[in-house]
């Protein structure tokens, strides 16, 4: 099943007035944030599958199922398929009609679908990214958006280069409305950039190309500083420190250890250790880190070498609900809203929204709902490293109700019956609290694993 040339088509008008769109964002009776609070959206892993369509032959519903039987396909998708247009547009339409005032949006990559390499090409990948970019720009003409490239935003997937390329040039042109000349220059050269937020003059976004550090990327094998991004990052953070700026760091592939497996970093271990060193050095400049890639909802706390928590990291769940045939669990589609203090850019809270995919398909309309508010769900003060570190310690307690809640949210409330046994819990907690090799290994020993 090949992807059609019609991939560039946006289909915006078709879905603008679909029933069930634009549901109220905040729960009934909740009050708007105080004037001292500002907000931004985080969306990630859209993974559009333009081939998605309802048909009696469930092996042909979508290219991303790779010939497997779609389980229960409906207008908003299927768990064995990447996102149809209708799902992605329902997410953005929900955001548009939320009534929430936001300063900006971060978008952490992966627009194309999970399909065999031969079913894509450089031009198709660029067209999909262009499609998603046009969708966002059409719906949010006055909102500054900060994108990051994902490992699927290239062809062949994962092989993002250390020099300029057709894809890097294309996205620089596509994202021109959001970025200045300096940002576009480094984006063309290596797929990364930094830029100040227009509405917050002392807040800088650094968009890293962590795909250069991804294990399957053979282009960067044995390179100590691919595309000189480490050197650029240190220089940028040092300049921000000198200019008394704060930084939100965004990227697709996160640092740290994957919470669903043992002793596995999301990127090559050498690069992970290098980034952790840089983040520790500039932890007073970095006010938050935001990632995608895993399709799951998780938190991490970076501690310094003395074990003091110094940085908060957030991995956002995907819009796509896709899973492989062999996986039991997946995620409901999700988008999130962060609240921050505009005086010092400290993160105050996070509101996670989701679409119950089964329910949406059954009713034929999308009803995006609030899943949880982070401080209220866990009874913590804010999103500062000390607060998250204290929460992680509560997770570690035997039969912790807060951890059971966290594990349900990990899958975006897809399956509340999912059980995390002792070993599973150890992997989760060690991944939350330990981002470097030594402390992670010590953590597993404490759990006798």
């Amino acid at each position: 099943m090949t992807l059609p040339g019609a991939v560039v088509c946006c289909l915006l008008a078709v879905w603008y007035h679909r029933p069930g769109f634009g549901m109220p964002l905040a729960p009934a009776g909740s009050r708007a944030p105080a004037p001292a609070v500002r907000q931004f959206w985080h969306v990630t892993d859209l993974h559009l599958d333009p081939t998605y369509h309802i048909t009696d032959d469930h092996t042909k519903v979508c290219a991303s199922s790779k010939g497997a039987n779609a389980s229960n396909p409906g207008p908003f998708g299927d768990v064995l398929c990447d996102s149809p247009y209708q799902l992605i547009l329902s997410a953005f339409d929900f955001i548009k009609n939320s009534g929430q005032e936001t300063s900006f949006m971060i978008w952490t990559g992966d627009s194309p679908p999970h399909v065999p390499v031969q079913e894509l090409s450089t031009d198709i990948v660029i067209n999909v990214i262009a499609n998603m970019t046009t969708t966002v720009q059409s719906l949010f003409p006055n909102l500054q958006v900060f994108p990051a490239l994902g490992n699927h935003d290239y062809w062949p997937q994962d092989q993002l280069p250390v020099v300029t390329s057709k894809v890097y040039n294309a996205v620089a042109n596509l994202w021109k409305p959001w970025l200045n000349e300096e940002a576009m220059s480094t984006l063309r050269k290596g797929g990364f950039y930094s830029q100040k937020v227009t509405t917050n003059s002392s807040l800088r976004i650094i968009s890293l190309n962590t795909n250069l550090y991804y294990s399957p990327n053979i282009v960067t094998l044995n390179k100590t500083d691919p595309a000189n991004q480490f050197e650029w990052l240190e220089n940028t953070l040092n300049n921000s420190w000198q200019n008394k700026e704060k930084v939100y760091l965004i990227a697709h592939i996160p640092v740290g250890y994957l919470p669903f497996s043992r002793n596995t970093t999301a990127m090559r271990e050498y690069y992970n250790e290098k980034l952790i060193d840089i983040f520790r050095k500039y932890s007073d400049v970095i006010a938050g880190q935001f990632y995608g890639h895993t399709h799951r909802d998780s938190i991490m706390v970076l501690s310094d070498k003395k074990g003091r928590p110094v940085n908060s990291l957030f991995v956002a769940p995907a819009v796509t609900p896709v899973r492989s045939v062999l996986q039991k669990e997946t995620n409901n589609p999700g988008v999130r809203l962060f609240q921050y203090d505009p005086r010092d850019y400290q993160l105050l809270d996070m509101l996670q929204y989701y679409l119950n995919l089964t329910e949406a398909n059954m009713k034929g309309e999308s009803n995006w709902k609030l899943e949880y508010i982070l401080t209220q769900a866990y009874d913590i003060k804010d999103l500062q490293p000390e607060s998250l570190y204290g929460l992680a310690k509560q997770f570690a307690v035997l039969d912790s109700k807060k951890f059971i809640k966290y594990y349900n949210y990990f899958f975006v409330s897809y399956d509340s019956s999912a059980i995390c046994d002792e070993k599973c819990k150890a992997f989760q907690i060690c991944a939350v609290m330990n981002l470097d090799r030594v402390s992670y290994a010590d953590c597993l020993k404490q759990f006798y694993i």
Side-chain angles (χ1 to χ4, degrees):
M1 195 174 187
T2 55
L3 296 173
V7 75
V8 284
C9 159
C10 267
L11 302 182
L12 278 170
V14 181
W15 311 119
Y16 265 155
H17 305 293
R18 299 291 292 177
F21 281 14
M23 299 298 289
L25 184 68
S30 69
R31 58 191 177 85
V37 173
R38 288 197 186 164
Q39 306 183 119
F40 65 91
W41 288 102
H42 183 186
V43 295
T44 195
D45 293 85
L46 301 173
H47 288 291
L48 168 70
D49 188 339
T51 69
Y52 186 93
H53 65 295
I54 305 299
T55 175
D56 290 340
D57 184 348
H58 281 195
T59 65
K60 291 186 168 58
V61 169
C62 61
S64 43
S65 78
K66 303 176 182 74
N69 263 310
S71 60
N72 190 23
F76 297 96
D78 183 84
V79 295
L80 287 177
C81 296
D82 272 317
S83 305
Y85 264 107
Q86 192 164 348
L87 172 60
I88 292 168
L89 292 173
S90 80
F92 283 127
D93 201 78
F94 168 67
I95 290 170
K96 181 181 173 66
N97 291 299
S98 66
Q100 293 285 352
E101 279 190 35
T102 52
S103 306
F104 57 93
M105 179 189 288
I106 58 175
W107 169 25
T108 50
D110 270 11
S111 292
H114 301 84
V115 294
V117 170
Q118 65 272 17
E119 294 189 22
L120 293 172
S121 67
T122 296
D123 286 341
I124 292 174
V125 164
I126 289 170
N127 283 341
V128 172
I129 298 170
N131 186 335
M132 293 294 90
T133 301
T134 306
T135 301
V136 174
Q137 287 168 350
S138 302
L139 288 167
F140 308 98
N142 302 313
L143 187 64
Q144 191 172 23
V145 178
F146 296 98
L149 284 166
N151 59 300
H152 283 271
D153 295 323
Y154 204 78
W155 189 84
Q157 69 179 55
D158 310 326
Q159 307 308 312
L160 283 83
V162 299
V163 292
T164 193
S165 67
K166 195 173 178 181
V167 170
Y168 290 171
N169 275 319
V171 295
N173 294 334
L174 287 166
W175 299 341
K176 195 172 184 177
W178 300 323
L179 304 177
N180 61 27
E181 286 300 324
E182 186 189 347
M184 286 195 297
S185 171
T186 57
L187 185 55
R188 288 182 200 281
K189 285 176 192 166
F192 52 86
Y193 65 88
S194 91
Q195 179 158 326
K196 282 204 229 181
V197 177
T198 309
T199 53
N200 301 92
S201 59
S202 52
L203 176 62
R204 182 173 293 277
I205 305 294
I206 292 180
S207 179
L208 281 186
N209 183 0
T210 49
N211 310 290
L212 298 176
Y213 312 137
Y214 194 32
S215 301
N217 190 343
I218 57 172
V219 178
T220 58
L221 266 176
N222 303 318
K223 285 185 164 53
T224 53
D225 187 5
N228 297 317
Q229 187 174 219
F230 289 136
E231 183 186 356
W232 172 87
L233 174 60
E234 287 222 51
N235 289 338
T236 306
L237 286 167
N238 190 50
N239 288 339
S240 288
W241 176 75
Q242 289 179 343
N243 295 327
K244 296 184 167 54
E245 294 173 350
K246 291 292 182 185
V247 165
Y248 287 161
L249 193 137
I250 70 170
H252 182 67
I253 292 167
V255 289
Y257 286 78
L258 295 172
F260 40 78
S261 57
R262 179 196 174 99
N263 207 30
T264 310
T265 45
M267 61 181 69
R268 288 190 188 113
E269 197 176 76
Y270 164 80
Y271 298 133
N272 186 66
E273 295 293 310
K274 181 77 177 163
L275 278 177
I276 295 305
D277 283 348
I278 295 170
F279 294 160
R280 280 174 171 156
K281 184 177 175 183
Y282 291 98
S283 61
D284 56 338
V285 177
I286 302 168
Q289 299 185 40
F290 310 91
Y291 300 95
H293 183 61
T294 67
H295 296 199
R296 304 290 182 260
D297 178 348
S298 61
I299 58 171
M300 290 183 277
V301 187
L302 176 64
S303 295
D304 63 18
K305 288 189 173 175
K306 293 176 182 172
R308 184 176 62 94
V310 292
N311 242 199
S312 300
L313 299 83
F314 302 87
V315 181
V319 170
T320 184
V322 76
R323 66 170 172 84
S324 73
V325 182
L326 300 174
Q327 286 176 301
K328 181 175 179 276
E329 305 294 346
T330 190
N331 59 288
N332 274 313
V335 296
R336 55 178 42 177
L337 182 74
F338 281 95
Q339 299 181 333
Y340 66 97
D341 188 327
R343 295 164 299 186
D344 57 9
Y345 307 107
Q346 286 207 346
L347 294 167
L348 302 173
D349 215 339
M350 187 270 286
L351 291 78
Q352 178 66 46
Y353 295 91
Y354 80 113
L355 181 69
N356 183 320
L357 186 65
T358 308
E359 186 184 274
N361 280 338
M362 216 161 55
K363 293 182 176 175
E365 61 181 48
S366 63
N367 181 17
W368 286 80
K369 299 175 195 168
L370 178 71
E371 185 187 21
Y372 68 93
I373 300 172
L374 202 144
T375 59
Q376 292 179 22
Y378 298 117
D379 191 25
I380 57 174
K381 187 176 72 166
D382 53 29
L383 272 54
Q384 292 312 294
E386 298 81 6
S387 300
L388 295 187
Y389 188 80
L391 175 62
K393 288 207 284 195
Q394 291 177 49
F395 287 166
V397 173
L398 192 67
D399 299 325
S400 164
K401 285 190 171 62
K402 287 185 179 179
F403 178 75
I404 293 167
K405 194 182 280 192
Y406 177 77
Y407 194 65
N408 182 44
Y409 294 152
F410 181 70
F411 298 108
V412 198
S413 299
Y414 175 73
D415 178 10
S416 59
S417 68
I419 301 293
C420 187
D421 62 20
E422 214 171 299
K423 191 178 279 191
C424 159
K425 186 174 175 179
F427 295 161
Q428 285 277 349
I429 290 165
C430 289
V432 170
M433 299 178 81
N434 305 277
L435 279 67
D436 65 284
R437 184 168 48 83
V438 172
S439 69
Y440 180 83
D442 286 346
C443 179
L444 288 185
K445 280 178 197 165
Q446 284 175 20
F447 283 97
Y448 306 105
I449 287 175

